[in-house]
Amino acid sequence: MWLDTLKRRIVAWYEREGDKNLPWRTTNNTWVILCTALMLQKTTVTQVVLVYEPFFSKFPSPEKVLNAGAQSVEAFFSTLGMKNRADRIYRIAEQLCSKYGCTVPCSKEELLSLHGVGKYIASEILLLGCGIPAPLLDTNSIRVLIRFFGIKPKASRAREDKALWMFAEEITPKDPEEAKKFWFGLIDLGRKVCRNIPRCGECPLSDFCYLHVFEAQ
């Protein structure tokens, strides 16, 4: 019952307060989802929003990346202070066109074989592009889960904790649309409310959050 309440409150909060209109959250284009996820690594949402349209207008597919050439991709990112993204995206485009007919696969194992693709990016492609429910464990959603459940990850880096990923899979809603809202809700809640210094008074989970109810006593 409490897990159902958690899911219901997170989904409801996301509907009210979440960033539902971010362009990469409203598409099922796996290439777009993959490249955007790479761009978002250690980069603000605001910066990626600014480069989103220019990038996909110029490089709408892996073929376009290869046709343009590595120098063209590097030149695009160099002006944005995101030069390291160029090599990753070009190498992934090469892999996709040599192994998968210039398409992004919907297999977790195949996605993880791509250069620079880890569990989070693979899960986001599966969830948004392939309609397969998968957890989205990033710094923000992990912060919420750790505080809410009173979890103490065993790995030095929480996002590498296998037990945490297994737990996240267990609580992921089975319906893909609900899973999207649930996980993006957790991400946005962590980014906007459950920050390093949490704003518990604004949180829809504060009345039965481990951190707020138990550790605060």
Side-chain angles (χ1 to χ4, degrees):
M1 181 66 71
W2 60 268
L3 186 54
D4 290 337
T5 301
L6 168 67
K7 292 177 182 178
R8 186 172 61 254
R9 290 192 188 183
I10 288 295
V11 168
W13 183 89
Y14 180 68
E15 293 285 9
R16 295 191 313 271
E17 308 290 344
D19 295 326
K20 302 182 294 299
N21 296 321
L22 292 173
W24 53 88
R25 291 186 179 181
T26 60
T27 182
N28 61 0
N29 184 315
T30 49
W31 170 248
V32 171
I33 296 163
L34 169 55
C35 291
T36 304
L38 287 169
M39 285 188 258
L40 282 166
Q41 290 182 327
K42 298 183 180 180
T43 305
T44 66
V45 169
T46 301
Q47 187 176 7
V48 175
V49 167
L50 292 175
V51 304
Y52 183 88
E53 289 293 342
F55 179 82
F56 291 111
S57 293
K58 191 169 186 177
F59 307 111
S61 65
E63 299 100 313
K64 292 293 185 180
V65 167
L66 297 185
N67 290 340
Q71 289 184 338
S72 179
V73 181
E74 184 175 321
F76 178 89
F77 283 110
S78 292
T79 61
L80 304 168
M82 300 165 68
K83 187 177 178 179
N84 65 325
R85 308 301 198 280
D87 179 63
R88 290 186 185 181
I89 289 175
Y90 192 83
R91 288 178 64 178
I92 286 176
E94 287 183 316
Q95 285 181 279
L96 294 176
C97 289
S98 66
K99 294 183 178 180
Y100 305 112
C102 290
T103 61
V104 179
C106 279
S107 158
K108 181 179 179 181
E109 291 72 23
E110 290 173 336
L111 288 170
L112 290 173
S113 74
L114 299 176
H115 177 72
V117 172
K119 287 183 179 181
Y120 178 89
I121 294 179
S123 291
E124 189 165 12
I125 294 167
L126 292 173
L127 179 58
L128 298 184
C130 307
I132 300 172
L136 301 181
L137 282 181
D138 77 341
T139 302
N140 296 302
S141 60
I142 289 171
R143 188 185 309 115
V144 176
L145 292 178
I146 286 176
R147 288 173 171 172
F148 179 79
F149 289 105
I151 296 171
K152 298 188 183 302
K154 295 180 180 179
S156 57
R157 295 184 63 193
R159 66 170 58 202
E160 297 174 359
D161 191 300
K162 293 181 180 179
L164 185 58
W165 275 97
M166 291 177 62
F167 176 70
E169 289 175 358
E170 291 175 5
I171 66 172
T172 298
K174 303 304 180 186
D175 177 74
E177 288 303 315
E178 185 183 357
K180 290 178 193 178
K181 294 175 182 178
F182 176 68
W183 282 107
F184 282 133
L186 286 174
I187 289 170
D188 288 353
L189 185 69
R191 184 163 54 85
K192 296 181 176 185
V193 178
C194 194
R195 304 168 69 169
N196 289 332
I197 300 177
R199 302 172 178 173
C200 297
E202 301 173 27
C203 181
L205 308 176
S206 61
D207 60 326
F208 66 130
C209 169
Y210 184 89
L211 174 72
H212 185 67
V213 175
F214 296 101
E215 290 199 354
Q217 292 180 355

